[in-house]
Structure formats: structure tokens, C-alpha cells
Amino acid sequence: MATLSAPTSSALKSSHRTRGHSAMDFKSATTGVAAKSMKNELNKMASDIKDPANKRIFDAQMSSFFNLFNRYLAERAKAEKLDWDSVKSPTEEMVVPYASLKDDIDVSILNKIAVLKLNG
């Protein structure tokens, strides 16, 4: 009958684990699951839009968002650090002052709003 013994220090040094294919496959699989889940949710949201013109606009916007989301997942899977020096602030034309927003908007659109807050 075999007995178990504690590994020696030389055995511990020689058994350095490297990231194998299974770990990388798991990362790509979880990325694929996240992308599929996001696509399903976007499709569900799009199915609620009845007006064909608004649906086309929404589909185009969500297609762009989904492309960005996939880029994010791909970068995250590579575990690369973000180069903050390449991140640019929005231009003056992109920022809409709160005071200039209309008061007579349809508040039902707030049911599907997303807010992103970055630290800093």
C-alpha cells in the first residue's frame, strides 16, 4: 500500500505551474457566455420596440455597443493593463449641460437607463 509524504522543497520548486490550455479555454468560454448573454438581453430589449424606425435606430446603437462590449471582453481575457494616457476626455460638444435638458421628456425612457461611473 502506498503512503503519502510531504513534498520536498526541491519538488516544490520543480513543479512550477504554468497556465495551460484548459485555463485559457475557460477564459474564452466565459467570455463567450458573457457575450451571448449580453446579445440575448439586447435582443430582448429590441423586441419591446414596436416602431420600425425607432427599432432600426436602436439596433444600430446596440450593435455599436455590442462591438465595444466584445472588445472589452477580449481585452479583459488578455489581462492587459489599460493605458490611461490614451484615454481622452470628451469634447465640449459631446457634453450636454444639465440645465439645457428639456423638461417635457417622456419619463418612461428612464426605465431603461444605464449609468456608468468611473473612479477619478
Side-chain angles (χ1 to χ4, degrees):
M1 188 157 135
T3 60
L4 293 175
S5 61
T8 63
S9 62
S10 63
L12 287 174
K13 288 179 186 173
S14 66
S15 67
H16 176 68
R17 287 187 54 145
T18 57
R19 185 175 289 189
H21 290 291
S22 62
M24 291 177 200
D25 290 343
F26 177 76
K27 269 198 164 184
S28 65
T30 55
T31 298
V33 169
K36 186 174 183 178
S37 295
M38 178 61 75
K39 190 65 171 170
N40 289 341
E41 289 300 317
L42 293 175
N43 288 339
K44 208 182 323 180
M45 287 171 52
S47 69
D48 291 342
I49 301 173
K50 304 302 178 209
D51 180 40
N54 285 338
K55 187 173 180 118
R56 254 192 323 275
I57 293 168
F58 181 82
D59 285 340
Q61 291 173 341
M62 291 304 105
S63 177
S64 295
F65 168 77
F66 188 67
N67 288 338
L68 286 173
F69 183 71
N70 276 332
R71 269 184 48 201
Y72 161 74
L73 290 176
E75 293 295 320
R76 190 180 74 173
K78 288 192 270 183
E80 292 182 7
K81 297 286 183 191
L82 178 62
D83 177 19
W84 284 104
D85 293 332
S86 67
V87 176
K88 308 243 184 307
S89 295
T91 64
E92 287 293 323
E93 295 81 36
M94 296 170 131
V95 178
V96 178
Y98 183 79
S100 70
L101 297 176
K102 298 177 187 174
D103 289 336
D104 60 340
I105 62 165
D106 179 15
V107 293
S108 68
I109 64 172
L110 298 177
N111 292 334
K112 295 184 179 182
I113 192 168
V115 177
L116 173 67
K117 180 183 179 197
L118 299 175
N119 291 336

